Amino acid sequence: GKRKIQVGILLFLVALTIRLSFYFIASNKLPPSLQKFVTADTIFYYDPIALEMASGSHTQASLLSVTRFTFLGYLSLFYRYLGHWYLPVSVFHCFLGALSVVFIFLAARIFLEEKIALAVGLVASFHVVLVYWTPFVTTEVAFLLLLSISIYLCGLFLKTKKPLYLFSLIVLLSIMP
């Protein structure tokens, strides 16, 4: 109980520190074309839709109803309230990436011993690919978070057989992109 919470908080802080440090250091050291951590699919596909949604246009209303809790939904909220600025989205992604590490640890803890689950959490905290892609303004970070929560809920359901976990998993899977 209490130890699991302490380890989860510690893993979150370690993962967040690594991701934010990478983002702010890389923002100054990478070539200018990569400093914004934006890919072509964001610029040419997601940005126009999110900007249109942020403006309050109803042409994308059906898309918003499907993705309101996923990437386009929160991207449009950032654009609406903070303007077309990538930095807050990248910092938010660092938080989501760190939260993913916690759920990876919690899922591992269901099936594995505490020391092994801690090792899994530390590997996820320091994993180069997970750290590198976290600040990018793409769908991968949101997907990883939803996937790690899904695995955790699946593990809880298998362990406890409580229908609440299965229902939560079904709801979560219904909002995944």
Side-chain angles (χ1 to χ4, degrees), residues 10 16 75 131:
L10 179 65
L16 181 62
L75 189 61
V131 172

Side-chain angles (χ1 to χ4, degrees), residues 72-137:
L72 280 172
Y74 69 76
L75 189 61
S76 68
L77 289 175
F78 274 100
Y79 290 172
R80 172 176 268 174
Y81 296 108
L82 299 174
H84 189 223
W85 188 31
Y86 295 122
L87 183 133
V89 180
S90 292
V91 169
F92 180 65
H93 276 189
C94 290
F95 279 90
L96 294 182
L99 196 55
S100 297
V101 169
V102 173
F103 281 102
I104 290 168
F105 161 73
L106 291 173
R109 187 63 191 100
I110 291 171
F111 301 108
L112 305 169
E113 295 177 21
E114 183 178 3
K115 288 181 182 179
I116 297 171
L118 176 59
V120 168
L122 286 172
V123 166
S125 293
F126 288 96
H127 194 282
V128 174
V129 174
L130 297 179
V131 172
Y132 176 78
W133 279 103
T134 295
F136 275 84
V137 181

Side-chain angles (χ1 to χ4, degrees), residues 3 5 8 25 36 58 63 70-71 79-80 98 101 112 120 144 146 168 170-171 175:
R3 172 122 170 103
I5 293 170
I25 290 169
K36 291 184 180 179
H58 296 293
L63 184 58
T70 57
F71 181 69
Y79 290 172
R80 172 176 268 174
V101 169
L112 305 169
V120 168
L144 178 62
L146 294 173
S168 299
I170 291 169
V171 169
I175 66 167

Side-chain angles (χ1 to χ4, degrees), residues 12-167:
F12 176 81
L13 293 174
V14 167
L16 181 62
T17 301
I18 291 167
R19 282 152 178 75
L20 287 173
S21 297
F22 169 74
Y23 173 67
F24 287 112
I25 290 169
S27 293
N28 295 320
K29 302 291 182 190
L30 287 174
S33 62
L34 294 176
Q35 286 182 358
K36 291 184 180 179
F37 289 95
V38 180
T39 59
D41 60 339
T42 298
I43 293 170
F44 296 112
Y45 178 72
Y46 297 116
D47 260 5
I49 295 172
L51 287 166
E52 190 173 334
M53 291 166 58
S55 71
S57 173
H58 296 293
T59 59
Q60 297 292 340
S62 62
L63 184 58
L64 178 60
S65 65
V66 171
T67 62
R68 83 181 90 193
F69 297 115
T70 57
F71 181 69
L72 280 172
Y74 69 76
L75 189 61
S76 68
L77 289 175
F78 274 100
Y79 290 172
R80 172 176 268 174
Y81 296 108
L82 299 174
H84 189 223
W85 188 31
Y86 295 122
L87 183 133
V89 180
S90 292
V91 169
F92 180 65
H93 276 189
C94 290
F95 279 90
L96 294 182
L99 196 55
S100 297
V101 169
V102 173
F103 281 102
I104 290 168
F105 161 73
L106 291 173
R109 187 63 191 100
I110 291 171
F111 301 108
L112 305 169
E113 295 177 21
E114 183 178 3
K115 288 181 182 179
I116 297 171
L118 176 59
V120 168
L122 286 172
V123 166
S125 293
F126 288 96
H127 194 282
V128 174
V129 174
L130 297 179
V131 172
Y132 176 78
W133 279 103
T134 295
F136 275 84
V137 181
T138 62
T139 59
E140 282 77 3
V141 175
F143 180 77
L144 178 62
L145 177 62
L146 294 173
L147 181 63
S148 61
I149 294 171
S150 297
I151 293 169
Y152 175 64
L153 289 171
C154 185
L156 284 176
F157 175 70
L158 291 173
K159 184 176 182 178
T160 65
K161 305 291 188 239
K162 291 184 179 178
L164 175 63
Y165 297 126
L166 181 60
F167 177 73

